[in-house]
Structures are given as C-alpha cells and as structure tokens.
Amino acid sequence: MNTALLIPLLAIPILPNLWCIWHSYNHEFERPAEKALWMAAGIFLPVLGGLAYLVFGQRRARKA
C-alpha cells in the first residue's frame, strides 16, 4: 500500500481526540471538573473519547 495514502488514513481517527482536547481547553463548562473530565477522555480514551465529546460535550461548552 502507498505510504502517502496510509499516513492520512491512520491519522483520521486521531482528529476527534485532538479536537476534543483543544476545544475543551479553550472553552468553559458549568463545572471545572467537567472540563478536566472531557480533556481526560480525549487523552485516555482514544477515538471513543473524541467521538463522545463531539456528540455530547461540544454542546455543553461556552466560549471562554
């Protein structure tokens, strides 16, 4: 398989986690612990943590 195609395909599952960490760091939540939990989910639950943030957490965030 072509390496130029393989690298982006392997990077795609990482993108929701990176978005989860960056977005939760730059936004406020009702409780500070919620912010820490979303960031921990993005770090320690690969793919699932990022997807859960996109579905549930992003709506709870407010601009800092």
Side-chain angles (χ1 to χ4, degrees):
M1 185 171 230
N2 190 0
T3 306
L5 179 62
L6 185 62
I7 292 173
L9 286 177
L10 293 175
I12 288 172
I14 298 170
L15 294 177
N17 284 45
L18 294 175
W19 175 258
C20 168
I21 295 165
W22 178 81
H23 193 265
S24 60
Y25 180 78
N26 290 319
H27 287 75
E28 295 294 325
F29 291 87
E30 291 180 18
R31 298 178 308 239
E34 186 176 1
K35 181 178 198 170
L37 287 172
W38 281 120
M39 289 180 71
I43 295 169
F44 296 115
L45 297 173
V47 182
L48 292 178
L51 291 176
Y53 183 77
L54 289 174
V55 173
F56 301 111
Q58 193 172 8
R59 288 182 276 155
R60 298 180 55 82
R62 294 185 309 258
K63 188 72 175 164

